[in-house]
Amino acid sequence: MAERITGHTELIGLMAYPIRHSSSPAMHNEAFATLGLDYAYLAFEVDNDTLEDAIKGLRALKMVGSNVSMPNKTVVGQYLDELSPAAEMAGAVNTIVNDHGKLIGHITDGIGYMQSLKDNDIDVIGKKMTIAGAGGAATAIEIQAALDGVKEMSIFNIKDKFWENAERTVEKIRANTDCIVNLYDLDDKEKLREEIEDSYLFAQATGVGMKPMEGQSVVPDKSFFRPDLIVTDTIYAPRETALLKMAKEAGCKTMNGLGMMLFQGDAAFHLWTGKHMPIDHMKEVLD
Ligand code: NAD
């Protein structure tokens, strides 16, 4: 008889809609199989209408936990018992841990980004960064970077529906950390130039650069960059955005979003299993 799934196998879920395209099930199950851990990770089509029942199901089935993605990240907190400080500040949860019946919500996207910097020998702690974005990915990075000890952060966003969220993020960072944080209009390109100029790192965390905005960049041209600036993008499809191509041409060290994706998964994996993913193996599989 096949031994992969037995009566002892523990279940971890992913609750989102749509979700069939996700690479998370393959990533986590590959890591369980490689390490010989008796867990299975399955994707469930859950939207806001079925989320409360799904969380009740997680409790009733004594599941180890779950990932949560859109459209549930900002909604699921109300059904949980406790939130991590970063999840509380970000107002979003992407990982649920079932701690003996107590459901704790975490957000691991920002942890994933910070870990991917470390993995590339980039140390932004105590330094200044400039970041574009005020959506889910950007907010998680901004909060985690401030909690981890980035000294100064200049946030840029266009004045769209995410602007108010950026204002809230700035307030929360000011209230809870020592990070000096300011918010500017991304359409003010001269201000953007000025803030990048004395930054150690520039992080792109908007959707500009991937479909349907592939080929576009929030930074107009490579004169905004200098060789000792580090430039990162949360996007991983394509692997090299127009922005990263421009930064490479200017001589900058660059990093795409693949590491953030891997390490947000690893942080969740660690919360559930107490073990880290086999990172080198996962990099080979994901590339
Ligand atoms: P979101 O919808 O929550 O936020 C979208 C952001 O893009 C906002 O800041 C918005 O103002 C900005 N934006 C949209 N159109 C714009 C335009 N024309 N000009 C300038 N800014 C514009 O999205 P999200 O979930 O935060 O995702 C943002 C990017 O990060 C996506 O490309 C996504 O693929 C990537 N991402 C990567 C990871 C990872 O693990 N590497 C995780 C999450 C998201």
Side-chain angles (χ1 to χ4, degrees):
M1 289 223 295
E3 286 290 307
R4 172 68 185 96
I5 307 275
T6 71
H8 296 282
T9 307
E10 301 272 11
L11 178 60
I12 296 172
L14 166 58
M15 300 175 182
Y17 187 84
I19 199 53
R20 296 296 172 208
H21 64 282
S22 170
S23 50
S24 290
M27 179 168 81
H28 284 281
N29 288 312
E30 174 69 21
F32 295 144
T34 307
L35 297 179
L37 297 175
D38 198 7
Y39 297 85
Y41 183 109
L42 283 182
F44 298 105
E45 288 183 327
V46 174
D47 62 13
N48 286 177
D49 292 339
T50 52
L51 184 60
E52 185 174 7
D53 285 345
I55 298 299
K56 280 185 185 158
L58 185 157
R59 282 186 203 271
L61 298 175
K62 298 193 178 72
M63 287 167 61
V64 168
S66 184
N67 272 144
V68 177
S69 196
M70 295 316 284
N72 302 323
K73 278 177 139 176
T74 54
V75 180
V76 75
Q78 62 187 304
Y79 307 125
L80 307 179
D81 302 312
E82 202 176 300
L83 297 179
S84 72
E88 178 87 54
M89 280 172 72
V93 166
N94 80 330
T95 302
I96 300 167
V97 176
N98 185 354
D99 182 9
H100 302 93
K102 188 185 195 191
L103 301 189
I104 305 167
H106 297 260
I107 180 102
T108 66
D109 296 308
I111 299 172
Y113 176 78
M114 296 306 283
Q115 188 60 33
S116 70
L117 291 182
K118 266 193 205 151
D119 190 56
N120 279 279
D121 297 320
I122 300 166
D123 182 10
V124 69
I125 306 306
K127 300 178 184 141
K128 172 172 175 175
M129 69 185 273
T130 292
I131 177 165
T139 304
I141 293 171
E142 287 152 8
I143 298 249
Q144 196 64 45
L147 284 172
D148 285 0
V150 164
K151 187 174 157 213
E152 193 177 340
M153 193 177 337
S154 292
I155 301 174
F156 284 82
N157 207 73
I158 56 171
K159 292 204 166 167
D160 63 356
K161 64 176 181 177
F162 291 93
W163 181 261
E164 270 180 34
N165 190 48
E167 289 179 325
R168 273 196 300 274
T169 301
V170 166
E171 276 168 30
K172 285 181 190 165
I173 289 175
R174 284 184 182 149
N176 291 285
T177 78
D178 293 331
C179 182
I180 301 160
V181 60
N182 286 296
L183 174 62
Y184 304 103
D185 184 354
L186 185 55
D187 285 332
D188 184 350
K189 298 300 180 192
E190 275 323 300
K191 191 67 194 160
L192 180 65
R193 185 190 291 280
E194 207 178 298
E195 294 305 302
I196 290 176
E197 228 157 54
D198 66 348
S199 289
Y200 166 77
L201 181 146
F202 175 70
Q204 195 309 109
T206 75
V208 180
M210 72 176 285
K211 278 185 187 136
M213 292 181 276
E214 193 166 344
Q216 299 177 30
S217 163
V218 294
V219 174
D221 63 71
K222 64 181 176 191
S223 71
F224 284 66
F225 297 145
R226 55 177 205 281
D228 68 341
L229 178 76
I230 288 155
V231 179
T232 72
D233 204 318
T234 53
I235 294 171
Y236 53 84
R239 297 285 191 263
E240 187 175 88
T241 55
L243 176 107
L244 288 189
K245 188 165 180 282
M246 203 190 278
K248 263 188 194 165
E249 283 169 11
C252 305
K253 180 170 179 164
T254 62
M255 183 183 93
N256 67 21
L258 212 52
M260 174 175 171
M261 207 267 282
L262 171 61
F263 286 106
Q264 64 76 28
D266 176 59
F269 189 93
H270 188 256
L271 285 166
W272 296 319
T273 69
K275 300 205 163 33
H276 283 287
M277 283 181 168
I279 294 296
D280 289 341
H281 175 66
M282 300 315 298
K283 279 183 188 164
E284 270 172 39
V285 179
L286 283 174
D287 210 7

